[in-house]
Amino acid sequence: MMRSFRFADLGAVGALAALIAVPFPGIALAQTAPAQAAPAQPAPQPEPAAPAQVAPKLETFGRWSTLVDEVDTGEDLRKTCAASTAFIGAGGESGVLTLIITNGDALPPDAYPSITIAVANKTLPAGKSVTATFGDDKGRVTAKLHSDGAVNGRLSWTVDNQAKTSLALLRAMRRASVLDVSFGDAPVGSISMDGFTKAYRSLGASCGFPTADVAP
């Protein structure tokens, strides 16, 4: 770092130069090597710019809401796309059903959005392999779930993301007006699918994947 001289420093340098210039009798002044210039310092490199981030985009479709969160990493535009709906559980508990995917994930038809249920019901079965049933009187889909940690005081379960099962479940969600969900023999709740089709199409448009196999 370059030093900033004060006026007092400049005065001291001038006085020293004058003393050396005066010859002392009988004393030979030593020859001093010329002062070498300080090595040039490399120019400071600018700090890398922080990733640009815009406010998440929120939309509502019937009982469903979507969120698209974008972060410009400087190399690409990373998007997280989510859709969710709130419901009241079988015992009067609050719950949320959520779909989430990013444009950095494997996308449909190779893999489908992650499906998670969070509900404030501590009596539901938990563990790494919970059997769940989704559907209505027109048909049902069975899937395996694993329970995760609590989210805002609610326990949460995530469907094991097998493409074939996830596709069947998403199609059941599109077909049903109300999706009945149970874990084993324990009812979780009946969840409105009003707006699901438009919400799912919105996720596809935002995160760049086809939706015709679920919501034609």
Side-chain angles (χ1 to χ4, degrees), residues 53-69:
Q53 189 167 5
V54 298
K57 177 184 176 183
L58 301 171
E59 291 186 281
T60 301
F61 304 94
R63 298 291 298 273
W64 284 76
S65 297
T66 62
L67 177 149
V68 179
D69 191 18

Side-chain angles (χ1 to χ4, degrees), residues 13-104:
V13 170
L16 179 59
L19 181 61
I20 293 175
V22 176
F24 289 87
I27 299 178
L29 295 179
Q31 298 295 319
T32 58
Q36 295 182 353
Q41 298 295 322
Q45 297 298 315
E47 292 291 333
Q53 189 167 5
V54 298
K57 177 184 176 183
L58 301 171
E59 291 186 281
T60 301
F61 304 94
R63 298 291 298 273
W64 284 76
S65 297
T66 62
L67 177 149
V68 179
D69 191 18
E70 299 183 358
V71 177
D72 187 350
T73 66
E75 297 179 356
D76 58 8
L77 187 63
R78 185 58 52 88
K79 293 183 180 181
T80 299
C81 304
S84 64
T85 187
F87 65 92
I88 301 299
E93 314 89 356
S94 62
V96 178
L97 172 61
T98 302
L99 279 62
I100 188 167
I101 194 168
T102 79
N103 63 346

Side-chain angles (χ1 to χ4, degrees), residues 106-113 115 141 159-171 200 213-214:
L107 298 172
D110 298 317
Y112 289 85
I115 302 171
V141 176
V159 176
D160 293 344
N161 205 346
Q162 303 295 322
K164 184 178 180 180
T165 301
S166 295
L167 176 59
L169 176 50
L170 291 167
R171 285 175 171 172
Y200 188 79
D213 54 355
V214 172

Side-chain angles (χ1 to χ4, degrees), residues 27 49 51 69 80 93 113 116 120 126-127 129 143 147 159 175 182 203-204 206 208 216:
I27 299 178
D69 191 18
T80 299
E93 314 89 356
T116 298
S129 183
S147 57
V159 176
R175 182 195 67 240
S182 61
L203 295 191
S206 297

Side-chain angles (χ1 to χ4, degrees), residues 196-216:
F196 169 79
T197 298
K198 291 182 178 179
Y200 188 79
R201 289 173 181 162
S202 177
L203 295 191
S206 297
C207 264
F209 60 85
T211 60
D213 54 355
V214 172

